[in-house]
Amino acid sequence: MTVLRVVVIGGDAVGMTAASHIKRRLRDAVDVTVIQEQQWTSYSACGIPYWIAGEVNGPTRLVARSPERHRENGIDVRIGTRATAVDVDRQTVQARVLQTGEKLTFPYDHLVLGTGAKPVFPHVPGLHLPGVLKVHTLDDGLAATAALARKPRCAVVLGAGFLGLEVAEAAITRGMDTIVLEMAAEPMQTLDLDMGARLRLAMIDRGAKLQVNEPVEALIAGPDGRVAAVRSEQGEYPAEIVFMGLGLSPRSDLAVAAGLPVGEAGGILTDSRQRVLGQENIWAGGDCTEVHDRVSGRRCYMPQGTHANKHGRVIGLNISGQEATFPGIVGTAVVRFQDVEVARVGLLESEGPALGLDLACATIDAKTRAGYFPGATPITVKMIGDRATGRLLGCQIIGGPGSGKRIDIAATAIWNRMAVADVIDMDLAYSPPLSPPWDPVQTAARRLAAIL
Amino acid sequence: MTVLRVVVIGGDAVGMTAASHIKRRLRDAVDVTVIQEQQWTSYSACGIPYWIAGEVNGPTRLVARSPERHRENGIDVRIGTRATAVDVDRQTVQARVLQTGEKLTFPYDHLVLGTGAKPVFPHVPGLHLPGVLKVHTLDDGLAATAALARKPRCAVVLGAGFLGLEVAEAAITRGMDTIVLEMAAEPMQTLDLDMGARLRLAMIDRGAKLQVNEPVEALIAGPDGRVAAVRSEQGEYPAEIVFMGLGLSPRSDLAVAAGLPVGEAGGILTDSRQRVLGQENIWAGGDCTEVHDRVSGRRCYMPQGTHANKHGRVIGLNISGQEATFPGIVGTAVVRFQDVEVARVGLLESEGPALGLDLACATIDAKTRAGYFPGATPITVKMIGDRATGRLLGCQIIGGPGSGKRIDIAATAIWNRMAVADVIDMDLAYSPPLSPPWDPVQTAARRLAAIL
């Protein structure tokens, strides 16, 4: 019996999910080797800010399945090993064992690329000073933990996007005097500016220090050689710790070097089965790839653990001989900053012109629960529709506990190409402790439908 | 100018929503008269248990809009007035002012019936003893408040459905030793029995006293003539207060007496514009009507404030000269018992045979948040699909905070006739404090799709 050789580069969501599916289905008919640079597998990078905050015991609690567990399942996991080149013609992967320098060659019948993302850095001096921290891998988390042991009193977070907000919350929870610097006019560029402004006010209400329109110019060292301050055009902020909260870009260097296609954002391009374009037996998924946006009809880069998990499953099924496709995304995302939940899906109002769409939008203020119910908090819903078709194309939510996951109603509606007017009449769940009789998403739909 | 005469019977969700829409749109071209037996309008009956619990200041906080406010908007609200007969041929409503006995006749061009529901009573002796309480109207709430002033130490709740659970929570919150008696094998007959059993265990875990398979036989008076105990076949339970928690039946007597059509459950029958079948100018909605179930394709009785509000809007638009329809329901409902949230939508597994459907189902246990995140609590999702078509037909959820409103994902999916397999890949929101990477609804869809 010929044994299928599957080589996987990257041991997190995409790679280990695919590897597990393949091994579980094909058993002795397959050899699965995973090349993983770090010592961890199947971990939650999204949990790192909460580890830093002290809310979660890292790194172990963030590891869903260790290399040992995967090995018990018959997967050959090579940790501490860096893939250095892919030879598409010879169907081999070159790798190096980091500790020994040993060079290895792995021939493959199928190759899976789950190389993930890398943090975005600003182009400023001082980035490599001690005390400048990333929150991307569990090793970053360990480095952050070590830095926190020095009991820093002040921190600067670069960037007020999803990651920046999570890290800022962590730094504040740790008791650090924390300033968030954002170069754009408002936090969270995945929101429209009017909603970004609301978020900014909500953050300031909660005592957060957020400076917008303020790109960083340099990180400045103190006498001990560690980072001591962050300089922007407007001023200089003391910072015993600086967190990178600027988001992610695809880690696709290996793919590019192998001649594989990447898109405008630098992500590897695949078909809907997650097969790399132009390749028979190379698959890619997760944060190193671009995805199909079902709303705009375009490719985009939207690194999310949810997509990575789904890609891993789709790749695993396909290599195992089933037919599976990834149907694309609608751009759903949610983040919590203290008691404020922020969520978005679909198009922004501001994206209309570039896409040639005439968009209408409506913004409503409601409550998360029945208005009279204790703990009812404000929720703002902005809804965006297409004047030509009446379709729901986007939704943004900011509000108290219970607000964020309401975006799933809009996400499911957009997924199904619903008209705004049809959202009004949907049968959604109501109970005074959990919702007003008209869910705020429906109240927004009523307002928007009247405009459309 | 001929002024349109609209008479509305019932001053809550359906009636006042319709009246407000009509008056706002037609202004001086319409006279809107609302006949309301109670002294309140536009109130939240769903909030009464929380008033009893002492969490909400009733009755005022439960009134969204008072008769005075409606009058300021030009609506002629007649409180304390009971509609006694409808003459369909003469197009008049007979009414009686309760305090004076004065008889009134209201001619109409359009009649709106929003007569609501009445509580279901068991057929047992002792129901009218002092201390036996309903939780249906604000007057019931006042009566309950008066009874609570006597500082009762023990209560029995009849029925463990949605209302029974809410009232039981209220009684427990008030410090009463509370027993819930349910005649069926498990609480919440709108769930399948296996999910009902999980709910029962969750309630018992929280110290609730719940007796199932135990129909009540009699309410027994004490020496003071007030209720003192509840007797079932199995025993006798002390009860200084007895709450009716048995649900609702349509209040359609007036319609029946007028010769208007009602369905099997006794609810008034309407077309999709909420016009009473066979009538040109009589409209009905809310808890006195039956609704179209989009999943089973049948009529059913499902009294819900959400439907009532939508019906009121649809009726208001239609009478104002617009065309509006109510597209039906999918049977969405949610309730909270302490920190347990229970929700359901669509068909039960047990309904398959009667509908001639071959249903498959899957039940999964997951967490409400990322597994490592503090406050992640268990959530159980049962999902039901059609073997013939692969369609998602039902979903039931029991879990900790954040569980209940997840039913809206399934409700929106069922509304759009999605296949179970397509739910797996939907783009739902993920952040560790709010959800695992696979939303539990999708985890259930994966399990069920594998079976289908």
Side-chain angles (χ1 to χ4, degrees), chain B residues 221-246:
Chain B
D224 62 353
R226 296 182 63 85
V227 73
V230 175
R231 197 178 70 223
S232 74
E233 204 172 274
Q234 281 93 322
E236 198 172 298
Y237 304 95
E240 294 174 48
I241 277 189
V242 173
F243 286 107
M244 290 295 133
L246 293 173

Side-chain angles (χ1 to χ4, degrees), chain A residues 17 21 24 44-48 50 55-57 61-62 166 169 302 304-307 309-310 313-314 325-336 341 343 345 369-374 402 404-409 411-413 415-418 422 424-439 442 446 449, chain B residues 17 21 24 44-48 50 55-57 61-62 166 169 302 304-307 309-310 313-314 325-336 341 343 345 369-374 402 404-409 411-413 415-418 422 424-439 442 446 449:
Chain A
T17 304
H21 270 276
R24 195 162 62 237
S44 170
C46 309
I48 296 170
Y50 307 99
E55 295 187 78
V56 174
N57 285 326
R61 285 287 285 147
L62 296 179
E166 290 172 341
E169 178 185 285
M302 190 154 191
Q304 291 257 350
T306 48
H307 309 328
N309 276 290
K310 288 176 190 132
R313 178 177 172 272
V314 165
T325 58
F326 179 73
I329 66 152
V330 292
T332 315
V334 67
V335 67
R336 192 194 71 173
E341 298 179 5
V345 64
R369 305 172 164 194
Y372 54 79
F373 203 88
K405 282 288 274 179
R406 279 188 157 96
I407 203 72
D408 287 343
I409 301 168
T412 306
W415 189 272
N416 286 288
R417 305 175 65 87
M418 285 186 82
D422 293 334
I424 300 173
D425 293 315
M426 279 208 305
D427 187 3
L428 301 180
Y430 160 58
S431 176
L434 302 173
S435 181
W438 290 95
D439 191 277
Q442 292 182 301
R446 283 167 64 187
Chain B
T17 303
H21 270 276
R24 195 161 62 237
S44 171
C46 308
I48 296 170
Y50 307 100
E55 296 186 77
V56 173
N57 284 328
R61 285 287 284 147
L62 297 179
E166 290 172 341
E169 178 185 285
M302 191 155 189
Q304 290 256 352
T306 48
H307 309 328
N309 276 290
K310 287 174 190 135
R313 177 176 172 274
V314 165
T325 57
F326 179 74
I329 66 152
V330 292
T332 315
V334 68
V335 67
R336 192 193 73 171
E341 298 179 4
V345 64
R369 305 172 164 194
Y372 54 78
F373 203 88
K405 281 288 274 180
R406 279 186 157 97
I407 203 72
D408 287 342
I409 302 168
T412 306
W415 189 272
N416 285 288
R417 305 174 66 86
M418 286 186 81
D422 293 334
I424 299 172
D425 293 315
M426 279 208 305
D427 187 3
L428 301 180
Y430 160 57
S431 176
L434 301 174
S435 182
W438 290 95
D439 190 278
Q442 292 183 300
R446 283 167 63 187

Side-chain angles (χ1 to χ4, degrees), chain A residues 37 74 123 128 207 212 249 311 363 409 411 427 434:
Chain A
E37 206 167 317
H123 296 286
H128 299 292
V212 294
S249 70
H311 289 165
T363 303
I409 301 168
D427 187 3
L434 302 173

